[in-house]
Amino acid sequence: MYKIMTPGPTQVAENVRLARSLPCTNPDLDEEFVEFYKETCETISRLLHTGNETLILGGEGILGLEAACASLTEPGDKVLVLDNGIYGKGFADFVSMYGGIPDLYTVDDRNAIDVAALEDFLEKSHDYKYATVVHGDTPSGMLNDIAAICPLLKSYGILTVVDSVSAMFGEELDVDAARIDLLCGGSQKVVSAPPGLTFVTLSADAKAAMKQRKTPVASFYANLTTFEHYYEEKWFPYTMPISDIYGLRAAVDNIAADTDMVKRHAAIAEAARCAIRKAGLSLYLESGFSNTVTVFLVPEGVTDKDVLTAMKKDHGILLAGSFGSLAGKVIRIGHMGENANVPDMTEVFGALDEVFAGLGVPLRASLKDCFLQHLPGKP
């Protein structure tokens, strides 16, 4: 078995794994499961500081992103796609797929979105039904300030769709304060349950926009309106993956009990970035660093495969490269959810010290030592 230190899927806690082995009922007929589903949804809403309804969908995180676009987009709708990363740009495909017209606001992908510059843009151009923004872009490690971006968009009457699959619960997130209309999360990132579920929160404005559509949603599985009245009618639009949801509930309960979760992510991420810099390696980003993943450039003279293969074969640790425009250029360490702990991160950096030495890559200092030195409470 490998130690999974990738930016999702992550390691899974034992109580989450065991919860997935509980006896199954028939979720289509057992009203107790409907209660369990609703309670789990309400717990997620509470942890996200929102009175908005949460829905759990049977599918990996991308389903939530597509469902948001499928349910809101009508043919001819103009949609603003905030693009400073691979996932940000990807929203345009979903918008086009459902007949919308994406307008990409493309900026530097090594820095967080500049809110003042966005405001200047919106003063001149704001005729959009909704806008999409990525909270945490896993391929690059980017974090965007949705607490400032979404209220700005709403001030122009633009609905807000946020992909927080990779950041949710590892970063500060207050849905109501940020005025987020449709927020997407996933089970396999900070939540640290196995892949297979996505969940979305829907505001009253988002629901109203879906209800006021003039054309039907061009999907069934990605149609969020099919869940309307599910609780009153004790009926789901499709059979819920009950074991996955049992596991998700255990993971959500773990988050509820972990009062230092966001603080721990921040401390580990800062120490990781300090270690990369002190050792003479280069972080990919210039600003907007996520606290759930650290991304650094592959050193000269070696390839990403050299590093990843040595980590896997010689140390039993899985790290990740990236894809798209970043393929072959960076290494990613996922310190999110169950991965965000000092012992595992110490092991990762100790292994990287040995791997780089074996590959002939000189470091200015030990990654492991620098990481430990920059943890809170260390001199």
Side-chain angles (χ1 to χ4, degrees):
M1 287 290 292
Y2 299 109
K3 185 181 293 294
I4 305 173
M5 295 299 291
T6 57
T10 62
Q11 300 177 63
V12 174
E14 182 71 0
N15 70 325
V16 174
R17 190 181 68 82
L18 291 175
R20 287 166 50 82
S21 67
L22 291 172
C24 289
T25 183
N26 184 330
D28 293 324
L29 300 175
D30 190 338
E31 293 189 7
E32 288 187 9
F33 177 77
V34 180
E35 296 292 339
F36 180 86
Y37 175 94
K38 185 170 185 287
E39 288 170 6
T40 304
C41 291
E42 289 172 344
T43 301
I44 294 171
S45 290
R46 186 175 71 254
L47 291 172
L48 294 171
H49 308 288
T50 182
N52 294 346
E53 182 180 26
T54 292
L55 296 173
I56 301 167
L57 312 180
E60 193 269 343
I62 286 178
L63 172 61
L65 310 182
E66 180 174 347
C69 295
S71 301
L72 285 175
T73 309
E74 293 193 77
D77 282 344
K78 288 182 62 180
V79 178
L80 180 63
V81 176
L82 302 186
D83 164 30
N84 67 329
I86 292 171
Y87 283 165
K89 190 187 304 291
F91 262 117
D93 294 333
F94 291 133
V95 172
S96 299
M97 191 182 301
Y98 291 99
I101 303 170
D103 187 0
L104 270 71
Y105 177 81
T106 301
V107 292
D108 178 10
D109 69 354
R110 298 184 76 169
N111 289 283
I113 291 171
D114 183 323
V115 180
L118 177 61
E119 185 168 14
D120 290 342
F121 170 83
L122 290 171
E123 284 180 4
K124 303 166 189 172
S125 181
H126 50 259
D127 182 24
Y128 301 105
K129 182 175 185 178
Y130 69 92
T132 65
V133 58
V134 174
H135 187 195
D137 185 65
T138 331
S140 66
M142 177 68 68
L143 184 76
N144 287 311
D145 185 4
I146 57 173
I149 292 170
C150 291
L152 172 61
L153 292 165
K154 288 289 283 185
S155 72
Y156 285 95
I158 302 170
L159 294 170
T160 57
V161 173
V162 174
D163 169 5
S164 189
V165 172
S166 300
M168 185 184 294
F169 302 122
E171 303 282 355
E172 294 286 353
L173 179 53
D174 186 321
V175 171
D176 286 352
R179 303 187 67 188
I180 299 170
D181 288 303
L182 212 158
L183 178 74
C184 303
S187 59
Q188 78 272 31
K189 302 285 188 176
V190 183
V191 175
S192 291
L197 295 176
T198 186
F199 39 92
V200 296
T201 66
L202 299 94
S203 72
D205 286 349
K207 289 182 177 181
M210 294 174 195
K211 199 162 192 176
Q212 292 163 10
R213 292 177 60 106
K214 297 180 177 63
T215 59
V217 176
S219 174
F220 177 82
Y221 205 71
N223 181 356
L224 295 174
T225 68
T226 59
F227 281 82
E228 189 176 15
H229 307 307
Y230 84 87
Y231 180 68
E232 294 83 356
E233 297 171 1
K234 303 295 186 288
W235 180 87
F236 293 107
Y238 51 82
T239 301
M240 288 289 111
I242 183 169
S243 296
D244 288 345
I245 293 174
Y246 283 158
L248 176 66
R249 175 60 173 272
V252 168
D253 288 344
N254 288 346
I255 293 169
D258 190 351
T259 56
D260 290 328
M261 191 163 184
V262 171
K263 185 186 296 184
R264 184 176 69 258
H265 277 76
I268 286 175
E270 178 61 26
R273 293 191 291 268
C274 286
I276 295 293
R277 293 188 185 104
K278 291 280 187 178
L281 299 172
S282 299
L283 294 166
Y284 175 71
L285 297 177
E286 296 173 351
S287 71
F289 299 100
S290 168
N291 287 331
T292 64
V293 55
T294 292
V295 182
F296 63 92
L297 294 172
V298 176
E300 290 185 13
V302 297
T303 68
D304 62 333
K305 290 183 179 178
D306 292 334
V307 178
L308 298 173
T309 299
M311 287 292 288
K312 180 179 176 181
K313 288 180 65 176
D314 300 339
H315 299 277
I317 297 173
L318 289 182
L319 299 183
S322 197
F323 48 91
S325 60
L326 293 179
K329 297 179 181 179
V330 299
I331 302 292
R332 298 184 294 156
I333 306 171
H335 38 77
M336 53 175 64
E338 287 295 310
N339 293 8
N341 67 83
V342 171
D344 283 342
M345 286 295 289
T346 302
E347 185 178 345
V348 166
F349 282 124
L352 281 171
D353 281 336
E354 294 185 24
V355 166
F356 285 131
L359 293 172
V361 176
L363 298 178
R364 293 178 189 165
S366 161
L367 286 159
K368 175 182 173 180
D369 291 348
C370 291
F371 172 72
L372 292 172
Q373 289 166 6
H374 285 88
L375 289 170
K378 299 295 181 181

